[in-house]
Amino acid sequence: MKVAILSGSVYGTAEEVARHAQSLLNAAGFEAWHANRATLQDLQGFAPEAFLAVTSTTGMGELPDNLMPLFSEIRDVLPAAWRGLPGAVIGLGDSSYGDTFCGGGEQMRELFAEMGVREVLPMLRLDASETVTPETDAEPWLAELTSALRG
């Protein structure tokens, strides 16, 4: 199964989690693809069979700047070929921001819902005020994702 990993990061933490997820998915026998600043054309060329979004949150619960162009492109087109595919989201944030905690991840969940992507696991919320090893903390959830994608 080909898994496209979409990521948005401000300080690089979400990118590290995305790269770690890519290596774990590849080790589990999936063909995981991740490109920082991917375009819709890049994604369509890969022809994903599943999606994983990994994103931090900026400002008032928004997506990082490096993910916004792809997010907007996908939202404008909503590729019909992706309807019904499995997907999941890892959101990174800081719970001290209250209502906007993991807001970037919530935006990706909404986009997946608009695209018709099936959420196969509840969003993993990684809290910067509680962890210094988010890629390690994501491993049990990623193992669950692997099982869910094998379905």
Side-chain angles (χ1 to χ4, degrees), residues 5-7 9 11-27 32-37 52 54 66 90 135 142:
I5 302 172
L6 316 179
S7 67
S9 196
Y11 300 112
T13 306
E15 293 297 327
E16 286 300 316
V17 173
R19 278 192 287 276
H20 191 59
Q22 180 183 19
S23 71
L24 291 175
L25 286 166
N26 284 333
W33 176 86
H34 171 250
N36 189 11
R37 299 187 183 275
L52 171 61
V54 182
N66 69 320
I90 297 175
E135 54 283 334
L142 287 164

mmCIF file of all heavy atoms in Angstrom, residues 5-7 9 11-27 32-37 52 54 66 90 135 142:
data_model
loop_
_atom_site.group_PDB
_atom_site.id
_atom_site.type_symbol
_atom_site.label_atom_id
_atom_site.label_comp_id
_atom_site.label_asym_id
_atom_site.label_seq_id
_atom_site.Cartn_x
_atom_site.Cartn_y
_atom_site.Cartn_z
ATOM 1 N N ILE A 5 2.579 10.884 3.042
ATOM 2 C CA ILE A 5 2.690 11.601 4.313
ATOM 3 C C ILE A 5 2.802 13.088 4.009
ATOM 4 O O ILE A 5 3.758 13.535 3.369
ATOM 5 C CB ILE A 5 3.907 11.114 5.121
ATOM 6 C CG1 ILE A 5 3.814 9.610 5.385
ATOM 7 C CG2 ILE A 5 4.021 11.898 6.432
ATOM 8 C CD1 ILE A 5 5.057 8.998 6.006
ATOM 9 N N LEU A 6 1.810 13.852 4.458
ATOM 10 C CA LEU A 6 1.790 15.298 4.280
ATOM 11 C C LEU A 6 2.254 15.910 5.593
ATOM 12 O O LEU A 6 1.807 15.492 6.655
ATOM 13 C CB LEU A 6 0.367 15.786 3.974
ATOM 14 C CG LEU A 6 -0.440 14.981 2.962
ATOM 15 C CD1 LEU A 6 -1.818 15.589 2.789
ATOM 16 C CD2 LEU A 6 0.285 14.896 1.643
ATOM 17 N N SER A 7 3.132 16.901 5.538
ATOM 18 C CA SER A 7 3.603 17.463 6.809
ATOM 19 C C SER A 7 3.748 18.971 6.739
ATOM 20 O O SER A 7 4.005 19.544 5.693
ATOM 21 C CB SER A 7 4.938 16.825 7.213
ATOM 22 O OG SER A 7 5.955 17.183 6.317
ATOM 23 N N SER A 9 5.527 22.024 9.338
ATOM 24 C CA SER A 9 6.343 22.218 10.528
ATOM 25 C C SER A 9 6.890 23.641 10.564
ATOM 26 O O SER A 9 7.203 24.212 9.518
ATOM 27 C CB SER A 9 7.504 21.217 10.505
ATOM 28 O OG SER A 9 8.109 21.114 11.762
ATOM 29 N N TYR A 11 9.320 24.572 13.380
ATOM 30 C CA TYR A 11 10.677 24.422 13.914
ATOM 31 C C TYR A 11 11.314 23.079 13.575
ATOM 32 O O TYR A 11 12.397 22.776 14.043
ATOM 33 C CB TYR A 11 10.677 24.622 15.432
ATOM 34 C CG TYR A 11 10.184 25.990 15.823
ATOM 35 C CD1 TYR A 11 8.977 26.144 16.480
ATOM 36 C CD2 TYR A 11 10.922 27.129 15.510
ATOM 37 C CE1 TYR A 11 8.508 27.403 16.824
ATOM 38 C CE2 TYR A 11 10.455 28.391 15.847
ATOM 39 C CZ TYR A 11 9.254 28.523 16.505
ATOM 40 O OH TYR A 11 8.787 29.764 16.839
ATOM 41 N N GLY A 12 10.626 22.244 12.780
ATOM 42 C CA GLY A 12 11.194 20.978 12.347
ATOM 43 C C GLY A 12 10.731 19.754 13.113
ATOM 44 O O GLY A 12 11.005 18.636 12.695
ATOM 45 N N THR A 13 10.027 19.932 14.214
ATOM 46 C CA THR A 13 9.607 18.783 15.016
ATOM 47 C C THR A 13 8.623 17.900 14.253
ATOM 48 O O THR A 13 8.766 16.674 14.223
ATOM 49 C CB THR A 13 8.997 19.241 16.352
ATOM 50 O OG1 THR A 13 9.929 20.092 17.007
ATOM 51 C CG2 THR A 13 8.686 18.057 17.249
ATOM 52 N N ALA A 14 7.628 18.501 13.614
ATOM 53 C CA ALA A 14 6.652 17.708 12.858
ATOM 54 C C ALA A 14 7.331 16.996 11.690
ATOM 55 O O ALA A 14 6.966 15.866 11.353
ATOM 56 C CB ALA A 14 5.502 18.582 12.368
ATOM 57 N N GLU A 15 8.336 17.638 11.084
ATOM 58 C CA GLU A 15 9.084 16.992 9.995
ATOM 59 C C GLU A 15 9.804 15.748 10.517
ATOM 60 O O GLU A 15 9.841 14.718 9.844
ATOM 61 C CB GLU A 15 10.112 17.943 9.379
ATOM 62 C CG GLU A 15 9.505 19.123 8.642
ATOM 63 C CD GLU A 15 8.659 18.742 7.446
ATOM 64 O OE1 GLU A 15 8.958 17.733 6.775
ATOM 65 O OE2 GLU A 15 7.681 19.468 7.186
ATOM 66 N N GLU A 16 10.379 15.856 11.715
ATOM 67 C CA GLU A 16 11.060 14.702 12.317
ATOM 68 C C GLU A 16 10.076 13.567 12.569
ATOM 69 O O GLU A 16 10.382 12.402 12.299
ATOM 70 C CB GLU A 16 11.750 15.098 13.631
ATOM 71 C CG GLU A 16 13.012 15.905 13.439
ATOM 72 C CD GLU A 16 14.065 15.156 12.635
ATOM 73 O OE1 GLU A 16 14.298 13.953 12.880
ATOM 74 O OE2 GLU A 16 14.649 15.774 11.726
ATOM 75 N N VAL A 17 8.898 13.895 13.078
ATOM 76 C CA VAL A 17 7.873 12.877 13.325
ATOM 77 C C VAL A 17 7.449 12.247 11.996
ATOM 78 O O VAL A 17 7.305 11.028 11.893
ATOM 79 C CB VAL A 17 6.664 13.466 14.088
ATOM 80 C CG1 VAL A 17 5.532 12.456 14.196
ATOM 81 C CG2 VAL A 17 7.085 13.938 15.478
ATOM 82 N N ALA A 18 7.288 13.068 10.951
ATOM 83 C CA ALA A 18 6.895 12.558 9.634
ATOM 84 C C ALA A 18 7.963 11.631 9.057
ATOM 85 O O ALA A 18 7.648 10.565 8.519
ATOM 86 C CB ALA A 18 6.624 13.720 8.676
ATOM 87 N N ARG A 19 9.224 12.019 9.184
ATOM 88 C CA ARG A 19 10.316 11.167 8.678
ATOM 89 C C ARG A 19 10.384 9.849 9.451
ATOM 90 O O ARG A 19 10.607 8.788 8.870
ATOM 91 C CB ARG A 19 11.656 11.899 8.753
ATOM 92 C CG ARG A 19 11.875 12.847 7.573
ATOM 93 C CD ARG A 19 13.313 13.330 7.500
ATOM 94 N NE ARG A 19 13.646 14.289 8.541
ATOM 95 C CZ ARG A 19 13.408 15.598 8.463
ATOM 96 N NH1 ARG A 19 12.842 16.103 7.396
ATOM 97 N NH2 ARG A 19 13.751 16.392 9.451
ATOM 98 N N HIS A 20 10.178 9.918 10.763
ATOM 99 C CA HIS A 20 10.178 8.710 11.591
ATOM 100 C C HIS A 20 9.010 7.804 11.182
ATOM 101 O O HIS A 20 9.176 6.589 11.047
ATOM 102 C CB HIS A 20 10.105 9.100 13.064
ATOM 103 C CG HIS A 20 10.355 7.971 14.006
ATOM 104 N ND1 HIS A 20 11.528 7.239 14.018
ATOM 105 C CD2 HIS A 20 9.566 7.425 14.970
ATOM 106 C CE1 HIS A 20 11.457 6.309 14.942
ATOM 107 N NE2 HIS A 20 10.276 6.391 15.533
ATOM 108 N N ALA A 21 7.839 8.401 10.970
ATOM 109 C CA ALA A 21 6.670 7.631 10.530
ATOM 110 C C ALA A 21 6.954 6.969 9.184
ATOM 111 O O ALA A 21 6.611 5.799 8.977
ATOM 112 C CB ALA A 21 5.447 8.541 10.428
ATOM 113 N N GLN A 22 7.601 7.705 8.291
ATOM 114 C CA GLN A 22 7.942 7.151 6.980
ATOM 115 C C GLN A 22 8.837 5.921 7.127
ATOM 116 O O GLN A 22 8.580 4.888 6.512
ATOM 117 C CB GLN A 22 8.635 8.205 6.119
ATOM 118 C CG GLN A 22 9.027 7.698 4.746
ATOM 119 C CD GLN A 22 9.784 8.731 3.921
ATOM 120 O OE1 GLN A 22 10.324 9.695 4.449
ATOM 121 N NE2 GLN A 22 9.808 8.519 2.617
ATOM 122 N N SER A 23 9.857 6.017 7.965
ATOM 123 C CA SER A 23 10.769 4.878 8.115
ATOM 124 C C SER A 23 10.054 3.692 8.771
ATOM 125 O O SER A 23 10.268 2.543 8.375
ATOM 126 C CB SER A 23 12.040 5.263 8.863
ATOM 127 O OG SER A 23 11.791 5.498 10.212
ATOM 128 N N LEU A 24 9.174 3.950 9.744
ATOM 129 C CA LEU A 24 8.438 2.849 10.389
ATOM 130 C C LEU A 24 7.455 2.194 9.413
ATOM 131 O O LEU A 24 7.329 0.962 9.385
ATOM 132 C CB LEU A 24 7.692 3.350 11.628
ATOM 133 C CG LEU A 24 8.567 3.769 12.812
ATOM 134 C CD1 LEU A 24 7.702 4.355 13.927
ATOM 135 C CD2 LEU A 24 9.386 2.605 13.342
ATOM 136 N N LEU A 25 6.768 3.006 8.621
ATOM 137 C CA LEU A 25 5.821 2.453 7.643
ATOM 138 C C LEU A 25 6.566 1.655 6.578
ATOM 139 O O LEU A 25 6.123 0.573 6.183
ATOM 140 C CB LEU A 25 4.982 3.565 7.014
ATOM 141 C CG LEU A 25 3.904 4.162 7.922
ATOM 142 C CD1 LEU A 25 3.363 5.462 7.344
ATOM 143 C CD2 LEU A 25 2.775 3.167 8.152
ATOM 144 N N ASN A 26 7.693 2.171 6.105
ATOM 145 C CA ASN A 26 8.490 1.431 5.118
ATOM 146 C C ASN A 26 8.978 0.108 5.705
ATOM 147 O O ASN A 26 8.923 -0.933 5.045
ATOM 148 C CB ASN A 26 9.673 2.265 4.613
ATOM 149 C CG ASN A 26 9.242 3.330 3.629
ATOM 150 O OD1 ASN A 26 8.237 3.193 2.944
ATOM 151 N ND2 ASN A 26 10.003 4.408 3.555
ATOM 152 N N ALA A 27 9.427 0.135 6.959
ATOM 153 C CA ALA A 27 9.903 -1.088 7.623
ATOM 154 C C ALA A 27 8.775 -2.106 7.787
ATOM 155 O O ALA A 27 9.025 -3.312 7.812
ATOM 156 C CB ALA A 27 10.513 -0.753 8.984
ATOM 157 N N ALA A 32 5.922 4.191 1.830
ATOM 158 C CA ALA A 32 5.611 5.509 2.379
ATOM 159 C C ALA A 32 6.412 6.575 1.655
ATOM 160 O O ALA A 32 7.595 6.416 1.396
ATOM 161 C CB ALA A 32 5.909 5.545 3.869
ATOM 162 N N TRP A 33 5.745 7.672 1.332
ATOM 163 C CA TRP A 33 6.346 8.774 0.588
ATOM 164 C C TRP A 33 6.121 10.070 1.361
ATOM 165 O O TRP A 33 5.008 10.348 1.791
ATOM 166 C CB TRP A 33 5.703 8.866 -0.794
ATOM 167 C CG TRP A 33 6.144 10.009 -1.632
ATOM 168 C CD1 TRP A 33 7.239 10.056 -2.447
ATOM 169 C CD2 TRP A 33 5.486 11.269 -1.783
ATOM 170 N NE1 TRP A 33 7.305 11.269 -3.078
ATOM 171 C CE2 TRP A 33 6.241 12.034 -2.680
ATOM 172 C CE3 TRP A 33 4.338 11.826 -1.218
ATOM 173 C CZ2 TRP A 33 5.887 13.327 -3.044
ATOM 174 C CZ3 TRP A 33 3.986 13.114 -1.575
ATOM 175 C CH2 TRP A 33 4.755 13.847 -2.479
ATOM 176 N N HIS A 34 7.171 10.827 1.539
ATOM 177 C CA HIS A 34 7.088 12.108 2.232
ATOM 178 C C HIS A 34 7.985 13.105 1.516
ATOM 179 O O HIS A 34 9.129 12.781 1.200
ATOM 180 C CB HIS A 34 7.543 11.951 3.691
ATOM 181 C CG HIS A 34 7.689 13.245 4.410
ATOM 182 N ND1 HIS A 34 8.916 13.755 4.771
ATOM 183 C CD2 HIS A 34 6.774 14.150 4.821
ATOM 184 C CE1 HIS A 34 8.739 14.916 5.379
ATOM 185 N NE2 HIS A 34 7.448 15.166 5.421
ATOM 186 N N ALA A 35 7.462 14.264 1.236
ATOM 187 C CA ALA A 35 8.268 15.322 0.645
ATOM 188 C C ALA A 35 7.879 16.636 1.304
ATOM 189 O O ALA A 35 6.695 16.991 1.330
ATOM 190 C CB ALA A 35 8.055 15.413 -0.865
ATOM 191 N N ASN A 36 8.857 17.310 1.850
ATOM 192 C CA ASN A 36 8.613 18.620 2.423
ATOM 193 C C ASN A 36 8.229 19.552 1.269
ATOM 194 O O ASN A 36 8.853 19.526 0.212
ATOM 195 C CB ASN A 36 9.892 19.105 3.130
ATOM 196 C CG ASN A 36 9.646 20.361 3.921
ATOM 197 O OD1 ASN A 36 8.513 20.774 4.125
ATOM 198 N ND2 ASN A 36 10.718 20.973 4.362
ATOM 199 N N ARG A 37 7.185 20.314 1.454
ATOM 200 C CA ARG A 37 6.691 21.238 0.430
ATOM 201 C C ARG A 37 6.217 20.524 -0.838
ATOM 202 O O ARG A 37 6.448 20.975 -1.960
ATOM 203 C CB ARG A 37 7.735 22.305 0.090
ATOM 204 C CG ARG A 37 8.113 23.159 1.279
ATOM 205 C CD ARG A 37 9.018 24.312 0.856
ATOM 206 N NE ARG A 37 9.433 25.092 2.000
ATOM 207 C CZ ARG A 37 8.745 26.082 2.545
ATOM 208 N NH1 ARG A 37 7.572 26.420 2.063
ATOM 209 N NH2 ARG A 37 9.204 26.747 3.582
ATOM 210 N N LEU A 52 -1.375 10.058 5.602
ATOM 211 C CA LEU A 52 -1.036 10.421 6.972
ATOM 212 C C LEU A 52 -0.627 11.885 6.936
ATOM 213 O O LEU A 52 0.233 12.270 6.146
ATOM 214 C CB LEU A 52 0.118 9.572 7.511
ATOM 215 C CG LEU A 52 0.697 10.007 8.867
ATOM 216 C CD1 LEU A 52 -0.351 9.943 9.973
ATOM 217 C CD2 LEU A 52 1.911 9.154 9.226
ATOM 218 N N VAL A 54 0.934 14.966 9.255
ATOM 219 C CA VAL A 54 1.662 15.262 10.487
ATOM 220 C C VAL A 54 1.904 16.760 10.477
ATOM 221 O O VAL A 54 2.626 17.260 9.615
ATOM 222 C CB VAL A 54 3.020 14.515 10.551
ATOM 223 C CG1 VAL A 54 3.720 14.817 11.871
ATOM 224 C CG2 VAL A 54 2.842 13.022 10.360
ATOM 225 N N ASN A 66 4.587 26.215 5.500
ATOM 226 C CA ASN A 66 5.069 25.290 4.468
ATOM 227 C C ASN A 66 4.008 24.273 4.027
ATOM 228 O O ASN A 66 4.169 23.639 2.994
ATOM 229 C CB ASN A 66 6.354 24.570 4.912
ATOM 230 C CG ASN A 66 6.144 23.576 6.027
ATOM 231 O OD1 ASN A 66 5.383 23.809 6.957
ATOM 232 N ND2 ASN A 66 6.830 22.454 5.943
ATOM 233 N N ILE A 90 -1.629 13.179 12.749
ATOM 234 C CA ILE A 90 -0.884 13.441 13.981
ATOM 235 C C ILE A 90 -0.799 14.955 14.107
ATOM 236 O O ILE A 90 -0.277 15.627 13.215
ATOM 237 C CB ILE A 90 0.540 12.842 13.937
ATOM 238 C CG1 ILE A 90 0.487 11.324 13.831
ATOM 239 C CG2 ILE A 90 1.332 13.270 15.183
ATOM 240 C CD1 ILE A 90 1.857 10.661 13.657
ATOM 241 N N GLU A 135 8.637 11.885 18.360
ATOM 242 C CA GLU A 135 8.699 10.777 17.394
ATOM 243 C C GLU A 135 8.611 9.431 18.112
ATOM 244 O O GLU A 135 7.929 8.518 17.646
ATOM 245 C CB GLU A 135 9.904 10.862 16.459
ATOM 246 C CG GLU A 135 11.262 10.984 17.089
ATOM 247 C CD GLU A 135 11.620 12.369 17.618
ATOM 248 O OE1 GLU A 135 11.115 13.396 17.151
ATOM 249 O OE2 GLU A 135 12.446 12.404 18.544
ATOM 250 N N LEU A 142 1.497 4.800 15.751
ATOM 251 C CA LEU A 142 1.878 4.409 14.387
ATOM 252 C C LEU A 142 1.748 2.890 14.194
ATOM 253 O O LEU A 142 1.390 2.433 13.116
ATOM 254 C CB LEU A 142 3.293 4.891 14.063
ATOM 255 C CG LEU A 142 3.400 6.405 13.836
ATOM 256 C CD1 LEU A 142 4.861 6.855 13.905
ATOM 257 C CD2 LEU A 142 2.764 6.793 12.504
#
